[in-house]
Amino acid sequence: MTQAIAPPNLSANAPEDKLLWTSADLELLPDNGNRYEIIEGELYVTRAPHWKHQTTCGNFYFELKAWSKITGLGYAAVGAGVIFGNKDDVIPDVVWLSKEKYEALIDQSGHLLGAPDLAIEVLSAGTDNEKRDREVKLKLYSSQGVLEYWIADWREKKLQIYRRENGVLKLAMTLFVTDTLTSPLLPEFSCPLSQIFE
């Protein structure tokens, strides 16, 4: 379940459109197992996800890491911090980026200061969660230059693939459990989707 929270230390009469969370505010929040993300200055709080959500993330990571190790082309990570700016600080479920992009974007704290090549979000239950991944994060990743965005639905065992076209992310295809996942971004990468959703 995701909920938005008002920024700290606000007067009751302050105009809502001026109350924006920043990356610095994240340091003030408790380390209580919740996931905190900021998109366009709005704070999103997500509780610990379902077991199948996490195993789906792990399967994506495993396949991308194994392919990356063989090819030497880049790196995969689960739950990496991606900071696009002071008001856009998110934690995609899984990311992949080329070695060159990694070297250019990684900071001293181990966060990425810009768009990974690939961002993957695995849907959590609830209308707010789905809206965040299908609309809010799609818009953010599109505007920030992510090359591919995959939205995985482990309940329905399907994967929507968005690819950059004319400067924006557009739905390129929807794959189902009987399909094989490939990507022009990942040369010779091939994975039966059944392995992701097992």
Side-chain angles (χ1 to χ4, degrees):
M1 179 174 159
T2 301
Q3 66 184 91
I5 297 176
N9 303 321
L10 301 175
S11 75
N13 299 326
E16 190 174 330
D17 59 346
K18 302 217 183 228
L19 309 177
L20 301 176
W21 285 82
T22 67
S23 294
D25 294 327
L26 293 178
E27 300 298 323
L28 305 174
L29 297 173
D31 186 7
N32 58 7
N34 287 336
R35 175 180 282 191
Y36 300 101
E37 298 179 294
I38 299 172
I39 302 173
E40 294 183 355
E42 185 170 346
L43 178 68
Y44 292 85
V45 181
T46 308
R47 294 186 184 139
H50 191 283
W51 175 273
K52 284 296 289 179
H53 176 283
Q54 294 303 88
T55 59
T56 301
C57 293
N59 290 341
F60 275 119
Y61 169 73
F62 175 82
E63 297 296 338
L64 288 167
K65 181 178 172 90
W67 174 84
S68 296
K69 197 168 187 180
I70 291 167
T71 64
L73 294 178
Y75 304 103
V78 175
V82 179
I83 303 169
F84 293 116
N86 198 34
K87 295 181 183 100
D88 292 301
D89 192 329
V90 295
I91 307 170
D93 287 321
V94 181
V95 296
W96 182 88
L97 63 163
S98 68
K99 281 187 170 182
E100 297 77 22
K101 197 169 256 196
Y102 173 85
E103 308 234 337
L105 297 180
I106 198 78
D107 73 0
Q108 293 290 346
S109 299
H111 300 117
L112 298 174
L113 301 179
D117 294 288
L118 167 65
I120 303 171
E121 296 290 355
V122 177
L123 294 176
S124 294
T127 304
D128 290 343
N129 289 324
E130 286 204 24
K131 182 175 182 179
R132 184 191 66 240
D133 289 342
R134 293 186 188 279
E135 296 175 25
V136 180
K137 282 193 173 181
L138 173 60
K139 179 181 171 186
L140 175 68
Y141 294 154
S142 187
S143 69
Q144 294 297 327
V146 171
L147 300 179
E148 285 195 18
Y149 178 37
W150 300 353
I151 301 175
D153 185 336
W154 59 265
R155 288 172 181 83
E156 294 190 18
K157 296 186 177 359
K158 70 179 183 180
L159 178 68
Q160 291 178 304
I161 297 178
Y162 291 82
R163 291 198 175 118
R164 185 159 291 283
E165 180 183 319
N166 298 323
V168 296
L169 289 170
K170 293 188 179 177
L171 182 62
M173 67 185 65
T174 300
L175 301 178
F176 298 91
V177 72
T178 56
D179 294 323
T180 298
L181 174 59
T182 63
S183 169
L185 189 63
L186 310 167
E188 298 182 22
F189 176 82
S190 179
C191 175
L193 213 51
S194 59
Q195 290 180 199
I196 300 296
F197 294 124
E198 63 184 12

